[in-house]
Amino acid sequence: SHPRRGEEGRQLAQDLFPLCYDLPDEQLALSLSSLFSPESGSLVFVKQVADLDEFSDALESSFKFLIAFLKRLEDRASSYSPDLRETALSVFSRARLGKVRMISLD
């Protein structure tokens, strides 16, 4: 286990946060497809590290980012709802820390 990896994951999620507000509308579709890519998107990362305590801050930041991004997108992200729901339930059932479990339900 490498605590630095968890810190790097948290920092990456925090670095993405301004995209919620700064990204022009015309780039949102491309961002959505990249963000929710089944091969390399953020949900893949979240699922892979759900049960690793060193990534708890990264998971928390990732969920905060996803929540803010989806609020901005409103109806444009509805096709990703099933994937988000499945990921949130997976994280809730596998995470050991309460703060990660709670934010996965938001």
Side-chain angles (χ1 to χ4, degrees):
S1 172
H2 297 85
R4 183 172 171 188
R5 291 185 328 176
E7 175 59 26
E8 289 170 351
R10 182 197 59 78
Q11 188 61 51
L12 177 61
Q14 287 182 333
D15 290 347
L16 290 174
F17 208 84
L19 291 177
C20 296
Y21 307 102
D22 297 341
L23 197 64
D25 283 347
E26 57 273 5
Q27 293 180 0
L28 285 176
L30 177 61
S31 298
L32 273 173
S33 63
S34 296
L35 189 63
F36 294 105
S37 164
E39 294 85 29
S40 60
S42 63
L43 298 183
V44 174
F45 165 76
V46 166
K47 286 184 208 176
Q48 288 176 343
V49 301
D51 55 354
L52 301 175
D53 290 349
E54 70 194 67
F55 284 94
S56 64
D57 289 340
L59 285 166
E60 186 178 22
S61 293
S62 294
F63 274 112
K64 285 179 180 178
F65 165 72
L66 287 168
I67 290 165
F69 196 65
L70 293 173
K71 283 181 180 178
R72 176 171 178 217
L73 295 172
E74 299 173 352
D75 295 337
R76 292 176 276 190
S78 62
S79 63
Y80 299 103
S81 293
D83 293 336
L84 287 166
R85 190 175 4 268
E86 187 269 326
T87 299
L89 291 173
S90 174
V91 170
F92 181 80
S93 67
R94 293 174 45 219
R96 296 187 293 212
L97 298 178
K99 70 178 184 174
V100 174
R101 295 182 79 188
M102 292 307 296
I103 199 161
S104 71
L105 296 179
D106 281 347

